[in-house]
Amino acid sequence: MSATEKTASRTSAEFWFDPLCPWAWMTSRWMMEVEQVRPVDVTWSVMSLAVLNEGRDLPEEYRAMMDRAWGPVRVIMAAKEEYGDKVVKPLYDAMGTRIHLGGEKDYAKVIVPALEEVGLPVELAEYADTDEHDDRLRASHQRGIDLVGDDVGTPVVAVEGVAFFGPVVSPAPKGEAAARLWDGCVLVAGTPGFFELKRSRTVGPIFD
């Protein structure tokens, strides 16, 4: 097979995330595994739990978290605008590692070390408290939501014209198990009239 044929046989996917969501973090680790075991190239895009929950009647504690949720996604969006798509995934990884593996709930303490880790100017942290890139953030968020509807959250995955929320999985499958889950998700999501499979969660996110 020629290099051109190999390129043509690859599939493009897009993954929308909010760095605060532990279930999106689990799914993103699976998606990384899928890239290794299937010919899939992933573009990583931002959606926002803060935007998703605007105008909703939320418990006070969750509302306070949504108020803080603006910072990380704003900084990722600012970094993307200034340095391109290539910085989105590394910055997500750096933030997510601190939030989900490190247990850091003060997101202001996450942003600067994450920027330093990926070699980006720490001055980008200033965008956490501004709405300068909010129009682009909302547009990125809306692209994902338009594909699946506004009664779901993060993550959203789109591939070959088919999009779905999730999968919600813990722990993240690896190897051939990751490949089988990918194949199944694409298959059922591509079935006309198919909307949902669900069962009760019996475990929380298992960060390994």
Side-chain angles (χ1 to χ4, degrees), residues 3-82:
T4 300
E5 288 173 326
K6 288 181 179 179
T7 300
S9 67
R10 298 190 65 81
T11 298
S12 295
E14 189 166 4
F15 186 105
W16 281 266
F17 65 89
D18 185 310
L20 270 61
C21 179
W23 292 105
W25 178 257
M26 298 302 302
T27 308
S28 71
R29 303 309 95 177
W30 163 73
M31 194 74 247
M32 291 166 56
E33 193 74 11
V34 170
E35 287 187 289
Q36 303 303 312
V37 295
R38 287 292 184 267
V40 178
D41 299 311
V42 182
T43 298
W44 301 86
S45 298
V46 175
M47 62 185 302
S48 170
L49 290 171
V51 172
L52 185 69
N53 285 287
E54 280 183 319
R56 295 184 177 180
D57 185 15
L58 303 172
E60 184 176 346
E61 183 178 353
Y62 193 72
R63 168 55 60 197
M65 186 174 74
M66 290 301 97
D67 290 343
R68 301 194 307 275
W70 287 100
V73 287
R74 281 172 166 170
V75 171
I76 293 176
M77 185 58 63
K80 175 182 177 178
E81 292 302 314
E82 295 193 24

